[in-house]
C-alpha cells in the first residue's frame, strides 16, 4: 500500500543561523553540545517515517523531545529546516501558500493540547470555522457543524461559549472542529493530557470509535504510554529530537531498543501487550503436540484460560502451522517480568 | 485606566536579580563631579557665561526671514507642490473640524446631549450613560456649551485621525516583528519630546488654526494607540492563532476573524488612552488655534482666573466622562466575554434599533420645537435660559480670594512652602547652573551622563548641550533645567516614599490607586492653573504641577520594583533574623534600585513636559520663549527654544536612563 504520509530526513533547528547547521559536522553533536556551541536547538533531528492510510501512528517521548515540533512541521505550522515531507502524494515542502492552505483546509486537521478554540465564538461557530474560511455558505456549514456536534455528543452546547464548557467538552469541540471538514489525516498533539484520567479514557474510546468509523489516518502525539499502547498501530519513540525506536506496541514493549525506551515500558503490564510470539519457545524434541491451539497473535493474557484448562502446553499456530509452544512457566516469567 | 500604558512599558523591565554596581560606586563619582563643578562655580562665578564666539547669533534673524519666505510661499498664486499638498491637507482638516462642529450644533444641544447619552447607554451601560449625561449637563450649566462642542469636534477629528493612523500601525507592529522593531524607537522618541516643543514646528507647517491643533494633538495621541493595539494583537493566545492557521486561514481571515475580535477589548482600551492623551492637549492646542475650552483657559489665565478655572473644570469632567464611557464600552462589547447567543443577539439588535429611533425622535422633536443649537442660545435668538455660570464664577472667585488672602489659614501653609521651594532649592540651583562657568557645567553634565549611563549617552549629552549653547539659549536652558531638577527631586522623594509605603502596606496601595489614576487623567496645564493662585510665587506653580504629574509614575514603578524583588532574597534575609526594616533597607531597596532609576528616568521627562508649559504662566526659561513665540508670533525665538527643549529632553533621558536601556523593549 502507498503510504499516505511520508517524512524523510526532517530537521528543525531553532536559533540564529539555524539553516547553516544541517549537513555540517555540528549536526552530529548532542543537543546540549550544539546549544553550547552555536546557540541553536535541534528540536527535530533527521526524522523519517511513513504512515499508511487508516493507520494510527503514535509519537511518544519525554517533554522536550520534539514531538510537537515534529507534528507541526508536517503541515508547516513550523517551517522545517531540512528534509522531505509528502502527504497524499503532495510535496508539502514545495507547496506554495495557496496549495499549503488547500492542504490544511481539505486534507489535514489538527487537534491541540490547549484546544485553541475561538473564545469570541459560540461552539457551533467554532466547529464551523474551518468550513467558513473555505467559503461554504452559512446554512450549509451550520448544518454540517450541528451534525458533527451530534457525533461528539455536544448538540446541546451548540449555543454556548468555550469558556462555559469543561475541559473535556472543550476538547470535544476541538475534535468536532477538526472532523467537520472530513480530513484524510488527523494530527493530535497531546490532545488529552490536560484532562483528568477518567475523561481522558472516555475521549480515547471516542477517538478509537471515530477512527474505526471513518477510517481516518491519525498521527497521535502523547507522552502517556498506556494511551500510546491503547491507540497505536505503530509507535515512534523520540528522544532529544530523534526517533530511537519505531515499531508495533509489542515490538516496543517486547524488545526495547535502548535503556531510554526500556525505562518507558518498564511499568507496562506485559501480559496485556505481548502476544504469544514473544513468550513461545521451540517444541522440545519428542514433545507431544496435542495441547490447545491458539493463534500466535493472541495476547498472552487471553491465553491464560486455555493454559489453565489444559495439562499440556498451548500450541501457537500461524496459518494452522505450529510455530511454537507456550507453557505455564514462560507465561509466568512474562508476568513476573512486569514492573521490572 | 491610565495604567495600561505604564503597564505596557514597565512589564518588561522588572529588575534583574543580579545587580550591577551602579548603586554602589556611582553616587560617589557623581558627587565628586558635582563637587568639582561647585568649586568652579565658587571660584569663577559669573565670569564665564556662554561665549558669544561660540553662539550663532544671527540664527534667530535667519529663522524670522525663513518665516517671511514661508508666508510668501504659502500665499503665492502658483504654489509649489509641497506647499500645495500641505495647504490641501490643512484645508481638509479645517473642513473636517468645522463640519463636525456644525453637525453637533445642528443637532441642537438637546439632540447632541441625547444622542451622546443614548449611544453610551447602548454600548457602555447605565453607569457610563449617567456620567455622560452629567457631563453634558455641566456643559450647559456652566454656559460653556458652545466651547465644549467646539472642543468635542476638535477631539473627534483628532482622535479619529489618530486612530486611523495608529490602529493600522499597531496591527502591523503586532503581527510583524520587523515592523515592531522599526516602530519602537520612533515611539520611544515621540515619548521624550514634550508636547510644548512641537507646537512651533506644527505651526510652521500648518500655520495657526484647527488643523495645527489637530496635528499637534495627533503627534501626541498616536503613539499610545499604536502601542496598545500592538499589545492587544500580540496578546491573542498563540494556541488560537496556531489553530486557525492549521485550518488554512489566509492572513486576512486570521486578522478579521481571529486577531481583531480577540484583541478588540485592548484596541478599545487603546482608543480610551488615545482620547485621554488627546484631551490632555486641549489646552495647549488652544494656543495654536484649537479654540473651544482650551482658548477659554488660555485667555482666562491672564485676565479672569475664575473663568480659566471653570473651563479647566469642564475639561476635566469631559475627560472623566470620555474615560469612563470608552472603558465601559471596551469591557462590555468584548465578544469573548459577553456570550451573545441567538436570543440575546435578537434583544441586543432590538435595543440598538430602539436607541437609533430614540435619537432620531429626540432630534426631530428638538428641531420642530425650535431648540437652539447651544445652551444658552446664541445671541440674537430669544429663549429663556438659566445657567449657573454666574453663581459658579462667584464661588470660584471667593475660593480664590480666600486662598490669596494673607490672613487665611491656607495661605500660611502655601506661602512659606512656595518661598521655601523658591529660596532654598530653586534659586541656589539656578544660580549654580546659570552662573557657573559654561565649560564646567557642560563637561560636568557630560561626565555625569558617562558615569550613570555610559559612553554613548555621554556623547549625546555633550552634543545636545553644545547645540543648546550654540543656538544662544544656554542661560534659559539652565534656568529650565534647574526647575526640572528641583521638581524631579521633590517628585522622586515623594514617589519613593509613597512607593515604599504602598509596597509594604496593602492599605496604602489601595488608597493610592484612585489618586494616581485621577492625577494621570488630567490635562497637563490643568494641573498648573490652581497653583498659580494657590502658590503665587513666580516659578513655583509649574514646579508643583510637575511634581503632581510625575510622582504617581514613580510611586507605581517603585511599588512594582519592591514587589518584584525575588522572594528568595527576602526569605534568606529573614532567615538570618533581619527585622522587617532591615529587610527593607538592606535587601529590598538596593535590589529595587533599577526600578527607582527607571522612575527617575520617566519622571524627569514628565516633569520637563509640565515645567515648560509653566512658561505660559510666568515660569520663565525656555517655556516662556516658546509661549512668546506662539502668542506674540516671535517665530525665530520660539523655534530655537522649542529645539532647546527637545535637546534638553533628550539629554535628561540619556543621563538618567542608566545602563538598563538594552533590556527595555518598547511595544510590549
Ligand atoms: N520556537 C522555539 N524556539 C526555540 N526553541 C524551541 C521552540 N519551540 C520548541 N523549542 C525547543 O525544541 C525542543 C522541542 O520542543 P517540543 O515542544 O517539540 O517538545 P515536546 O516533545 O512537544 O514537549 P512537550 O511534551 O513538553 O510538549 C525543546 O527543547 C524546546 O525548548
Ligand atoms: Mg508538545
Amino acid at each position: 500500500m502507498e503510504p499516505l504520509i511520508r517524512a524523510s530526513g526532517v530537521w528543525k533547528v531553532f536559533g540564529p543561523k539555524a539553516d547553516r547547521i544541517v549537513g555540517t559536522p555540528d549536526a552530529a553533536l548532542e543537543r546540549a553540545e550544539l546549544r553550547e556551541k552555536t546557540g541553536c536547538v535541534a528540536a527535530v533531528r533527521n526524522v523519517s517515517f511513513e504512515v499508511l492510510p487508516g493507520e494510527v501512528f503514535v509519537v511518544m517521548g519525554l517533554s522536550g523531545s520534539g514531538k510537537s515540533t515534529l507534528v507541526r512541521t508536517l503541515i508547516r505550522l513550523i517551517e522545517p529546516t531540512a528534509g522531505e515531507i509528502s502527504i497524499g502524494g503532495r510535496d508539502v515542502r514545495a507547496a506554495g501558500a495557496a496549495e499549503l492552505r488547500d492542504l490544511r483546509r481539505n486534507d489535514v486537521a489538527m487537534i491541540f493540547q490547549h484546544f485553541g478554540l475561538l473564545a469570541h465564538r459560540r461552539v457551533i461557530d467554532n466547529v464551523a470555522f474551518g468550513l467558513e474560511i473555505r467559503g461554504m455558505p452559512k446554512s450549509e456549514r451550520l448544518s454540517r457543524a450541528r451534525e458533527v456536534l451530534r457525533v461528539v455528543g455536544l448538540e446541546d452546547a451548540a449555543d454556548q461559549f468555550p469558556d462555559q464548557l469543561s475541559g473535556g467538552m472543550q476538547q470535544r469541540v476541538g475534535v468536532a472542529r477538526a472532523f467537520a471538514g472530513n480530513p484524510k489525516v488527523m494530527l493530535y498533539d497531546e490532545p488529552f493530557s490536560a484532562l483528568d484520567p477518567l475523561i481522558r479514557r472516555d475521549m480515547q474510546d471516542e477517538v478509537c470509535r471515530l477512527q474505526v468509523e471513518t477510517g481516518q489516518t491519525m498521527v497521535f502525539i502523547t507522552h502517556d504510554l498506556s494511551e500510546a499502547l491503547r491507540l497505536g498501530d505503530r509507535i515512534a519513540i523520540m528522544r532529544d529530537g530523534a526517533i530511537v525506536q519505531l515499531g508495533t506496541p509489542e515490538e516496543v514493549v517486547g524488545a526495547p531498543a535502548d535503556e531510554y525506551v526500556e525505562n518507558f515500558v518498564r511499568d507496562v503490564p506485559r501480559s496485556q501487550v505481548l502476544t504469544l510470539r514473544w513468550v513461545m519457545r521451540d517444541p522440545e524434541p519428542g514433545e507431544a503436540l496435542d495441547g490447545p491451539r491458539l493463534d500466535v497473535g493472541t495476547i498472552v493474557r487471553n491465553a491464560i484460560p486455555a493454559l489453565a484448562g489444559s495439562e499440556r502446553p498451548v500450541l501457537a499456530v500461524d496459518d494452522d502451522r505450529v510455530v511454537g509452544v507456550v507453557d505455564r512457566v514462560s507465561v509466568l516469567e512474562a508476568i513476573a517480568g512486569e514492573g521490572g | 485606566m491610565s495604567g495600561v500604558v505604564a503597564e505596557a512599558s514597565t512589564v518588561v523591565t522588572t529588575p534583574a536579580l543580579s545587580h550591577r554596581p551602579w548603586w554602589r560606586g556611582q553616587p560617589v563619582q557623581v558627587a565628586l563631579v558635582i563637587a568639582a563643578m561647585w568649586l568652579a562655580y565658587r571660584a569663577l562665578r559669573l565670569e564665564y557665561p556662554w561665549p558669544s564666539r561660540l553662539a550663532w547669533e544671527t540664527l534667530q534673524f535667519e529663522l524670522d526671514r525663513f518665516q517671511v519666505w514661508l508666508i510668501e510661499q504659502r500665499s503665492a498664486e502658483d504654489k509649489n507642490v509641497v506647499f500645495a499638498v500641505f495647504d490641501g491637507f490643512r484645508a481638509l482638516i479645517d473642513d473636517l473640524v468645522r463640519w463636525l462642529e456644525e453637525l453637533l450644533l445642528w443637532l441642537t444641544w438637546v439632540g447632541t446631549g441625547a444622542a451622546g447619552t443614548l449611544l453610551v447607554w447602548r454600548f457602555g451601560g447605565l453607569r457610563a450613560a449617567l456620567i455622560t449625561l452629567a457631563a453634558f449637563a455641566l456643559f450647559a450649566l456652566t454656559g460653556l456649551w458652545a466651547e465644549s462642542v467646539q472642543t468635542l469636534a476638535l477631539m473627534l477629528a483628532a482622535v479619529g485621525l489618530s486612530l486611523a493612523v495608529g490602529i493600522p500601525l499597531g496591527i502591523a507592529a503586532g503581527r510583524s516583528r520587523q515592523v515592531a522593531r522599526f516602530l519602537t524607537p520612533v515611539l520611544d522618541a515621540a515619548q521624550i519630546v514634550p508636547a510644548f516643543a512641537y507646537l512651533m514646528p506644527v505651526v510652521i507647517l500648518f500655520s495657526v488654526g484647527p488643523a495645527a491643533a489637530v496635528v499637534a494633538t495627533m503627534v501626541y495621541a498616536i503613539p499610545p494607540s499604536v502601542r496598545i493595539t500592538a499589545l492587544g494583537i500580540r496578546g491573542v493566545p498563540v494556541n488560537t492563532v496556531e489553530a486557525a492557521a492549521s485550518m488554512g486561514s489566509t492572513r486576512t481571515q486570521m486578522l478579521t476573524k481571529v486577531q481583531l475580535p480577540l484583541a478588540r477589548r485592548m484596541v478599545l482600551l487603546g482608543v480610551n488612552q488615545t482620547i485621554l492623551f488627546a484631551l490632555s492637549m486641549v489646552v495647549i492646542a488652544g494656543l495654536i488655534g484649537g479654540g473651544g475650552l482650551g482658548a477659554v483657559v488660555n485667555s482666562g489665565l491672564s485676565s479672569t482666573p475664575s473663568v480659566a478655572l471653570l473651563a479647566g473644570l469642564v475639561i476635566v469632567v469631559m475627560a472623566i466622562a470620555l474615560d469612563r464611557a470608552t472603558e465601559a464600552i471596551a469591557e462590555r462589547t468584548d465578544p469573548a466575554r459577553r456570550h451573545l447567543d441567538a436570543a440575546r443577539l435578537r434583544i441586543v439588535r432590538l435595543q440598538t434599533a430602539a436607541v437609533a429611533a430614540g435619537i432620531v425622535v429626540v432630534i426631530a422633536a428638538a428641531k420642530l420645537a425650535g431648540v437652539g443649537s447651544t445652551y444658552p442660545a446664541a445671541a440674537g435668538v430669544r429663549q429663556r435660559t438659566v445657567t449657573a455660570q454666574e453663581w459658579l464664577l462667584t464661588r470660584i472667585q471667593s475660593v480664590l480670594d480666600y486662598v490669596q488672602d494673607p490672613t487665611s489659614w491656607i495661605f500660611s501653609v502655601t506661602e512659606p512652602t512656595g518661598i521655601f521651594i523658591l529660596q532654598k532649592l530653586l534659586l541656589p540651583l539656578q544660580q549654580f547652573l546659570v552662573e557657573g562657568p559654561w565649560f564646567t557645567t557642560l563637561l560636568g553634565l557630560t561626565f555625569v551622563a558617562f558615569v550613570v549611563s555610559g559612553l554613548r549617552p555621554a556623547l549625546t549629552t555633550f552634543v545636545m548641550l553644545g547645540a543648546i549653547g550654540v543656538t544662544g539659549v544656554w542661560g534659559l536652558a539652565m534656568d529650565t533645567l534647574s526647575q526640572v531638577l528641583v521638581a524631579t527631586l521633590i517628585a522622586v522623594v515623594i514617589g519613593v516614599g509613597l512607593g515604599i509605603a504602598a509596597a509594604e502596606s496593602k492599605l496604602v496601595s489601595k488608597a493610592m490607586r484612585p489618586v494616581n489614576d485621577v492625577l494621570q487623567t488630567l490635562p497637563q496645564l490643568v494641573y498648573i492653573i490652581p497653583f498659580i493662585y494657590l502658590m503665587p510665587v513666580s516659578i513655583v506653580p509649574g514646579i508643583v504641577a510637575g511634581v503632581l504629574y510625575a510622582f504617581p509614575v514613580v510611586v507605581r514603578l517603585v511599588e512594582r520594583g519592591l514587589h518584584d524583588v525575588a522572594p528568595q532574597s527576602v526569605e534568606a534575609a529573614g532567615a538570618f533574623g533581619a527585622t522587617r526594616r532591615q529587610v527593607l533597607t538592606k535587601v529590598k531597596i538596593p535590589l529595587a534600585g533599577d526600578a527607582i532609576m527607571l522612575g527617575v528616568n520617566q519622571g524627569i521627562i514628565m516633569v520637563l513636559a509640565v515645567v515648560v508649559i509653566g512658561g505660559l504662566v510666568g515660569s520663565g526659561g525656555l517655556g516662556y520663549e516658546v509661549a512668546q513665540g506662539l502668542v506674540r508670533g516671535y517665530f525665530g525665538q520660539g523655534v530655537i527654544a522649542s529645539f532647546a527643549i527637545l535637546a534638553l529632553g533628550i539629554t535628561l533621558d540619556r543621563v538618567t536612563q542608566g545602563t538598563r536601556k538594552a533590556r527595555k523593549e518598547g511595544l510590549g
Side-chain angles (χ1 to χ4, degrees):
Chain A
M1 216 177 344
E2 261 303 283
L4 188 60
I5 305 175
R6 178 182 279 144
S8 71
V10 174
W11 283 82
K12 176 64 203 183
V13 184
F14 288 109
K17 308 214 173 110
D19 46 337
R20 303 246 185 107
I21 304 240
V22 180
T24 68
D26 283 352
L29 292 176
E30 286 284 307
R31 204 191 242 179
E33 291 173 38
L34 182 70
R35 188 192 328 234
E36 190 97 323
K37 182 165 172 205
T38 63
C40 290
V41 179
V44 173
R45 306 164 55 121
N46 198 14
V47 165
S48 306
F49 62 88
E50 290 176 349
V51 183
L52 299 176
E55 191 180 22
V56 178
F57 185 82
V58 173
V59 181
M60 258 195 67
L62 294 180
S63 187
S65 56
K67 312 178 294 291
S68 298
T69 309
L70 175 64
V71 75
R72 279 166 176 71
T73 57
L74 293 181
I75 51 172
R76 282 172 53 196
L77 282 177
I78 292 178
E79 200 65 48
T81 314
E84 271 146 48
I85 295 163
S86 80
I87 296 180
R90 255 202 256 236
D91 183 346
V92 177
R93 288 213 63 199
E99 197 184 348
L100 187 62
R101 233 172 12 242
D102 187 59
L103 175 87
R104 290 175 182 176
R105 285 179 180 183
N106 299 311
D107 294 349
V108 186
M110 185 154 170
I111 290 153
F112 298 86
Q113 178 175 6
H114 300 291
F115 321 139
L117 301 181
L118 299 165
H120 63 292
R121 288 172 162 236
R122 293 176 303 166
V123 163
I124 186 151
D125 297 323
N126 262 286
V127 174
F129 182 76
L131 308 173
E132 180 181 335
I133 60 179
R134 287 184 200 178
M136 188 187 275
K138 186 160 182 181
S139 60
E140 208 175 309
R141 66 178 188 246
L142 286 185
S143 77
R144 168 70 183 152
R146 208 156 275 127
E147 199 177 296
V148 189
L149 276 177
R150 198 167 317 118
V151 173
V152 299
L154 273 183
E155 60 266 57
D156 294 336
D159 258 356
Q160 290 187 296
F161 281 75
D163 60 353
Q164 297 171 313
L165 305 181
S166 70
M169 287 163 90
Q170 290 189 39
Q171 195 55 296
R172 274 171 206 268
V173 177
V175 172
R177 177 174 69 180
F179 259 91
N182 261 328
K184 296 197 199 77
V185 178
M186 300 272 272
L187 308 176
Y188 289 81
D189 185 12
E190 299 196 31
F192 310 136
S193 53
L195 309 180
D196 62 53
L198 276 179
I199 298 187
R200 193 182 306 172
R201 218 178 156 87
D202 272 357
M203 295 290 287
Q204 287 164 1
D205 290 341
E206 186 114 6
V207 165
C208 283
R209 178 173 64 82
L210 287 171
Q211 201 271 334
V212 169
E213 279 172 17
T214 60
Q216 271 164 334
T217 309
M218 284 175 31
V219 176
F220 196 103
I221 311 287
T222 178
H223 60 230
D224 173 357
L225 184 68
S226 66
E227 191 167 79
L229 296 174
R230 265 168 73 82
L231 299 174
D233 293 325
R234 282 189 303 146
I235 300 176
I237 297 189
M238 287 186 74
R239 175 191 187 180
D240 283 353
I243 293 186
V244 291
Q245 187 171 11
L246 200 169
T248 60
E250 48 173 331
E251 281 167 355
V252 171
V253 173
D258 62 10
E259 210 173 321
Y260 177 78
V261 182
E262 207 173 312
N263 277 334
F264 254 113
V265 300
R266 182 180 297 154
D267 296 331
V268 176
R270 298 158 69 86
S271 61
Q272 294 177 25
V273 178
L274 298 185
T275 56
L276 296 185
R277 197 189 307 276
W278 293 89
V279 296
M280 67 192 185
R281 58 174 167 76
D282 290 337
E284 279 161 23
E287 191 173 11
L289 298 177
D290 55 353
R293 294 173 161 239
L294 288 175
D295 189 85
V296 70
T298 312
I299 305 273
V300 170
R301 187 188 154 115
N302 298 342
I304 291 176
L307 207 53
S310 143
E311 286 294 311
R312 306 230 172 257
V314 167
L315 302 180
V317 295
D318 190 4
D319 279 343
D320 286 338
R321 202 165 53 79
V322 174
V323 292
V325 178
V326 179
D327 58 23
R328 293 178 180 178
V329 177
S330 44
V331 169
L332 284 175
E333 269 172 359
I335 295 175
E338 287 171 7
Chain B
M1 229 7 287
S2 38
V4 176
V5 175
E7 209 91 348
S9 56
T10 54
V11 157
V12 283
T13 55
T14 51
L17 270 182
S18 66
H19 204 61
R20 269 160 279 102
W22 72 264
W23 189 253
R24 295 204 192 109
Q26 282 174 344
V28 182
Q29 295 174 357
V30 171
L32 284 177
V33 174
I34 292 173
M37 287 165 72
W38 177 255
L39 287 176
Y41 163 70
R42 298 300 298 189
L44 303 170
R45 189 171 168 190
L46 280 177
E47 282 180 35
Y48 294 96
W50 188 275
S52 54
R53 266 177 301 121
L54 288 182
W56 181 3
E57 286 180 326
T58 54
L59 178 61
Q60 191 169 324
F61 172 69
E62 304 279 344
L63 285 168
D64 281 335
R65 271 216 331 228
F66 175 64
Q67 188 203 17
V68 172
W69 178 79
L70 268 182
I71 292 173
E72 273 168 16
Q73 290 293 316
R74 208 177 270 141
S75 46
E77 282 298 317
D78 49 340
K79 292 187 191 95
N80 81 32
V81 188
V82 180
F83 284 99
V85 167
F86 269 109
D87 243 33
F89 187 68
R90 186 186 62 181
L92 198 73
I93 298 183
D94 278 350
D95 284 348
L96 176 64
V97 175
R98 192 168 317 119
W99 183 82
L100 282 169
E101 189 187 334
E102 274 163 14
L103 175 70
L104 292 179
L105 291 175
W106 179 85
L107 291 176
T108 75
W109 65 272
V110 173
T112 302
T117 308
L118 285 173
L119 282 175
V120 172
W121 176 66
R122 159 68 186 81
F123 295 104
L126 188 61
R127 223 178 78 94
L130 288 178
I131 295 175
T132 311
L133 186 62
F136 278 118
L138 187 80
F139 301 164
L141 279 179
T142 51
L144 292 173
W145 184 277
E147 290 80 1
S148 304
V149 162
Q150 236 173 19
T151 294
L152 271 180
L154 192 73
M155 283 300 103
L156 282 177
V159 170
L161 291 171
S162 299
L163 296 175
V165 177
I167 291 181
L169 281 181
I171 290 173
R175 301 183 90 194
S176 145
R177 291 220 160 267
Q178 274 108 309
V179 177
R181 209 171 303 142
F182 172 77
L183 278 179
T184 306
V186 180
L187 296 181
D188 284 350
Q191 212 163 21
I192 298 176
V193 186
F196 208 53
Y198 51 69
L199 294 185
M200 221 51 227
V202 168
V203 170
I204 299 175
L205 293 176
F206 299 95
S207 89
V208 172
V214 166
V215 171
T217 308
M218 283 171 66
V219 176
Y220 193 60
I222 287 175
S225 81
V226 177
R227 267 181 214 278
I228 299 172
T229 304
L231 211 61
I233 295 285
R234 205 158 310 140
V236 173
V238 239
N239 302 317
T240 311
V241 172
E242 191 174 43
S246 83
M247 282 181 278
S249 303
T250 61
R251 274 182 72 78
T252 319
Q253 286 171 330
M254 183 70 83
L255 182 65
T256 56
K257 291 177 192 289
V258 181
Q259 291 175 312
L260 278 183
L262 287 173
R264 177 197 175 111
R265 185 173 147 269
M266 274 303 264
V267 174
L268 285 180
L269 289 179
V271 173
N272 168 285
Q273 285 297 300
T274 308
I275 290 178
L276 291 184
F277 271 63
L279 256 175
S280 75
M281 284 288 287
V282 160
V283 181
I284 47 183
L287 287 172
I288 55 173
L293 296 167
V296 176
V297 172
N298 288 318
S299 66
L301 276 181
S302 45
S303 49
T304 41
S306 53
V307 175
L309 274 176
L310 188 63
L313 175 76
V314 174
I315 294 175
V316 171
V317 170
M318 191 185 278
I320 292 175
L322 281 168
D323 177 34
R324 296 299 131 81
T326 46
E327 192 182 348
I329 292 171
E331 299 293 343
R332 288 178 55 114
T333 58
D334 182 4
R337 295 196 195 174
R338 67 178 181 156
H339 298 159
L340 271 188
D341 53 27
R344 294 262 304 276
L345 191 65
R346 210 166 308 125
I347 296 177
V348 167
R349 292 220 169 108
L350 278 177
Q351 279 176 347
T352 309
V355 164
I359 291 175
V360 171
V361 168
V362 172
I363 292 171
K367 291 303 274 188
L368 286 177
V371 174
S373 59
T374 64
Y375 184 98
V381 183
R382 292 207 61 78
Q383 210 169 34
R384 274 197 317 139
T385 47
V386 190
T387 72
Q389 191 181 43
E390 284 309 315
W391 184 82
L392 283 168
L393 288 178
T394 340
R395 286 308 101 174
I396 294 173
Q397 193 55 51
S398 69
V399 172
L400 285 179
D401 289 344
Y402 174 76
V403 300
Q404 290 181 297
D405 177 1
T407 60
S408 73
W409 172 82
I410 197 145
F411 196 81
S412 70
V413 178
T414 55
E415 166 92 5
T417 313
I419 290 181
F420 173 82
I421 293 177
L422 186 68
Q423 297 196 331
K424 294 287 183 263
L425 296 172
L426 206 51
L427 291 181
L429 185 63
Q430 200 177 15
Q431 278 168 12
F432 173 56
L433 288 172
V434 175
E435 297 175 4
W438 63 274
F439 45 86
T440 52
T441 310
L442 175 61
L443 292 178
L445 291 177
T446 305
F447 205 72
V448 169
F450 177 72
V451 170
V452 176
S453 307
L455 185 60
R456 276 185 58 146
L459 285 178
T460 313
T461 301
F462 184 81
V463 171
M464 288 297 148
L465 288 177
I468 287 174
V470 168
T471 51
V473 286
W474 178 260
L476 293 168
M478 288 302 117
D479 181 0
T480 298
L481 178 61
S482 65
Q483 297 177 30
V484 170
L485 291 180
V486 168
T488 306
L489 176 73
I490 301 174
V492 168
V493 169
I494 295 177
V496 170
L498 286 176
I500 292 174
E504 293 289 294
S505 142
K506 280 224 158 51
L507 202 70
V508 177
S509 169
K510 234 182 175 156
M512 288 294 307
R513 204 154 303 149
V515 179
N516 283 354
D517 278 356
V518 169
L519 283 176
Q520 302 227 289
T521 314
L522 302 187
Q524 293 160 358
L525 186 56
V526 170
Y527 280 100
I528 302 185
I529 305 171
F531 291 100
I532 302 172
Y533 310 106
L534 206 49
M535 294 198 160
V537 196
S538 66
I539 314 179
V540 178
I543 292 188
V544 177
V547 170
L548 282 184
Y549 187 56
F551 91 83
V553 170
V554 183
V555 172
R556 184 154 41 213
L557 289 172
V558 170
E559 184 182 350
R560 246 199 133 83
L562 289 179
H563 267 303
D564 291 347
V565 166
Q568 310 83 287
S569 328
V570 174
E571 209 170 56
F576 284 118
T579 64
R580 183 168 165 175
R581 210 185 124 154
Q582 284 168 330
V583 170
L584 184 65
T585 54
K586 300 241 186 300
V587 181
K588 285 193 186 172
I589 293 180
L591 282 180
D594 273 350
I596 296 173
M597 194 67 199
L598 184 64
V600 173
N601 181 240
Q602 297 205 346
I604 207 164
I605 295 299
M606 298 174 75
V607 165
L608 175 68
V610 176
V611 162
V612 291
I613 294 178
L616 275 178
V617 294
S619 290
L622 295 170
Y624 179 73
E625 300 288 300
V626 175
Q628 290 293 301
L630 290 170
V631 177
R632 299 261 151 82
Y634 297 159
F635 180 81
Q637 173 187 336
V639 171
I640 293 174
S642 294
F643 165 77
I645 292 174
L646 171 62
L648 200 57
I650 295 175
T651 305
L652 291 174
D653 180 60
R654 292 303 183 273
V655 173
T656 54
Q657 76 183 16
T659 43
R660 62 188 353 279
K661 194 79 176 181
R663 286 184 292 135
K664 200 167 137 192
E665 215 182 83
L667 276 178

